[in-house]
Amino acid sequence: MVVVGAGINGCAAAAELALRGHKVVIVEKDDVAFEASGRNMGAIGILGKHASDLAGASIKKWDEAVNTLPEPFEYQRMGRVCPAYTPHDEMILHEMLSTARDHGGNIELLGTETVYDKFPELGPGISLAAYSANDALLEPISATRAFAALARERGVQFQTATLVSRVTSREGRVTGVELADGELITAKQVLLVAGVWTNRLLNKLNVRMPVQFATIYHGETQPLDSAFDYFLRGPAFGARQLADGVIRVTGGYEQLGAGHYLSFHDFRDLDLWAPRLWARRKEVQMRLDPRIMGYEMQAAWRNRPAPVGYEPTIPKNFPERKLAELQKAMPSLAGARIVKKIAGAVDMTPDSLPIIGRVENYEGLFMAAGFNGQGFGFGPVVGELLAQQMSDEKLSIDLTPYRLARFENRREIPMPARLV
């Protein structure tokens, strides 16, 4: 079996496949956790997640992982607090609360007095807050590397700094992958978990995947004294404090501020995406990066579906603006300043649900993509589900809602409340 991509999903799936006795090779164009798996907030939980069944199962899997993986990583059940300041914020929180409770989330809705009793460090203006005590925070790079270490222990071979140019097939059945240098790796099953670049590999097989390219931005401060020990997600900001005192900031549950980089690919599904991007323009903002179009041309003409060492462009002062919003919500952080900026590329689907499982057009081809910026926390669950399906086992969670084929009838694709 060949797994393309050494992010959290690829490493977790490879470890699960090896546990079942399969011979597995992971091929990665950069290194373990180089892209989105190493560039996220590391927030695990169910509140605010689109795929709530996956999110609900993820907490237990991470609890198990921290005690069984061969390498340590920062992991704590620290909880998540989402404050509301306006009636519109309250409406969003009620929607998030309903979805989370449908899938077993133990979420509290706190009134103003209770919020300030429980979290006195928060600034004025909060009308209510959603609180999930079960949510966890981890360090994503070391967590992904811990799954990679487990995969290696079980015999998985890693080929890093190695670009896959295409999936090979014959008469509707995959036969392996071809590398950029022309080398062929034969396999009866291929799993594509290459993040935003998965779509480029599917394009070469004439498999249509209606996703859009987006980037989520983060900033980090200098180390500070302990200020809060939970994931704080307001309408226009998100933040957590790491073990070394650094505060990592990002966008909020209403104004994420993600960037959608225009490309030639946009025109293929313009009728589907135009109304969604317009309706969610506060959440995902149009941006232009000529490199994205250049990468598309390379994929078409030079047989290179993905760039090596890709570093997303970060808008000027974006992390600083999010830090300013956080400082309004937590005045004790007035002395914080941004010293580092991070960005991770993610792929969005029209209904905000991921695409997981078998690709019906080709026997032996499987995938996991389109996580809308929420996929890292699902990694151990998605890895197990993929291994179950690829091994013809009974699935622990029904993957029907996540089939690629659901997009065949565009009129039935629902408009999501949020894109990322």
Side-chain angles (χ1 to χ4, degrees):
M1 295 179 174
V2 173
V3 176
V4 182
I8 186 64
N9 289 318
C11 292
E16 290 283 351
L17 288 166
L19 180 64
R20 289 161 171 78
H22 299 293
K23 183 179 179 180
V24 184
V25 176
I26 287 185
V27 185
E28 163 60 46
K29 68 182 181 66
D30 293 296
D31 203 350
V32 173
F34 178 78
E35 289 203 4
S37 288
R39 304 166 186 241
N40 61 82
M41 295 296 286
I44 311 300
I46 192 170
L47 185 60
K49 303 294 185 180
H50 303 308
S52 297
D53 53 348
L54 301 178
S58 70
I59 299 174
K60 181 180 178 181
K61 295 295 291 185
W62 279 110
D63 283 345
E64 295 171 355
V66 74
N67 294 313
T68 57
L69 291 180
E71 294 185 0
F73 58 93
E74 179 187 338
Y75 178 83
Q76 291 179 285
R77 284 282 195 101
M78 302 172 78
R80 179 186 305 234
V81 181
C82 295
Y85 299 88
T86 69
H88 183 68
D89 298 344
E90 294 180 14
M91 180 188 70
I92 294 174
L93 289 190
H94 280 290
E95 291 173 356
M96 292 164 55
L97 195 69
S98 175
T99 302
R101 284 176 172 169
D102 286 346
H103 292 92
N106 183 20
I107 316 296
E108 297 179 68
L109 202 59
L110 310 179
T112 303
E113 185 176 343
T114 307
V115 170
Y116 289 114
D117 284 344
K118 199 172 186 68
F119 308 105
E121 64 276 9
L122 295 178
I126 297 174
S127 56
L128 59 81
Y131 174 57
S132 174
N134 290 330
D135 282 27
L137 292 171
L138 55 76
E139 200 291 303
I141 295 177
S142 59
T144 306
R145 289 174 178 169
F147 271 99
L150 177 64
R152 288 190 177 97
E153 276 192 359
R154 292 175 176 174
V156 175
Q157 296 181 343
F158 280 71
Q159 290 188 216
T160 56
T162 303
L163 178 65
V164 171
S165 63
R166 67 186 182 100
V167 177
T168 59
S169 65
R170 181 183 298 115
E171 298 178 350
R173 177 192 292 268
V174 300
T175 58
V177 298
E178 180 180 348
L179 307 183
D181 63 5
E183 180 186 348
L184 296 174
I185 302 177
T186 59
K188 292 182 179 180
Q189 291 182 308
V190 174
L191 170 60
L192 300 180
V193 279
V196 295
W197 315 112
T198 299
N199 186 47
R200 305 280 177 83
L201 291 167
L202 289 175
N203 282 344
K204 292 180 176 294
L205 295 169
N206 294 316
V207 175
R208 190 159 181 167
M209 178 179 162
V211 297
Q212 292 289 338
F213 189 106
T215 302
I216 298 178
Y217 313 109
H218 313 291
E220 290 186 349
T221 70
Q222 79 276 26
L224 299 166
D225 291 338
S226 179
F228 61 109
D229 60 356
Y230 46 87
F231 182 39
L232 179 62
R233 196 72 180 265
F237 66 88
R240 61 169 294 192
Q241 189 161 24
L242 306 178
D244 59 5
V246 167
I247 294 177
R248 183 175 295 174
V249 297
T250 190
Y253 60 75
E254 183 180 353
Q255 298 176 30
L256 179 61
H260 167 58
Y261 289 92
L262 299 173
S263 68
F264 299 118
H265 170 79
D266 290 348
F267 294 99
R268 187 170 70 170
D269 297 299
L270 190 62
D271 61 322
L272 185 63
W273 276 103
R276 286 166 168 78
L277 291 171
W278 176 253
R280 305 290 175 252
R281 58 192 179 276
K282 286 186 178 181
E283 183 183 347
V284 182
Q285 299 160 3
M286 301 291 184
R287 301 190 186 279
L288 181 65
D289 183 347
R291 295 181 304 162
I292 300 299
M293 295 182 178
Y295 297 147
E296 284 188 305
M297 289 187 284
Q298 288 184 19
W301 299 336
R302 294 182 54 194
N303 211 27
R304 296 183 67 84
V308 173
Y310 175 64
E311 293 288 347
T313 302
I314 301 175
K316 184 178 180 180
N317 297 328
F318 178 88
E320 286 82 358
R321 293 197 301 272
K322 295 305 166 185
L323 176 59
E325 294 287 349
L326 172 63
Q327 289 167 329
K328 293 177 187 175
M330 195 173 289
S332 63
L333 299 177
R337 65 186 188 280
I338 297 295
V339 299
K340 182 180 178 181
K341 299 179 182 181
I342 308 165
V346 302
D347 44 0
M348 305 181 294
T349 60
D351 58 4
S352 291
L353 294 177
I355 304 167
I356 305 170
R358 184 175 283 108
V359 179
E360 287 84 351
N361 311 57
Y362 288 87
E363 186 176 347
L365 183 60
F366 300 81
M367 66 172 292
F371 285 93
N372 303 275
Q374 300 187 351
F376 183 84
F378 304 158
V381 175
V382 170
E384 182 179 57
L385 289 167
L386 288 166
Q388 289 170 350
Q389 191 175 64
M390 295 173 74
S391 304
D392 294 322
E393 298 176 4
K394 182 180 179 181
L395 297 177
S396 53
I397 295 176
D398 182 18
L399 288 178
T400 302
Y402 307 117
R403 293 170 60 240
L404 176 60
R406 72 183 188 270
F407 297 118
E408 291 176 358
N409 189 342
R410 296 191 172 207
R411 293 182 179 180
E412 296 182 0
I413 302 174
M415 176 76 80
R418 290 173 296 119
L419 288 175
V420 285

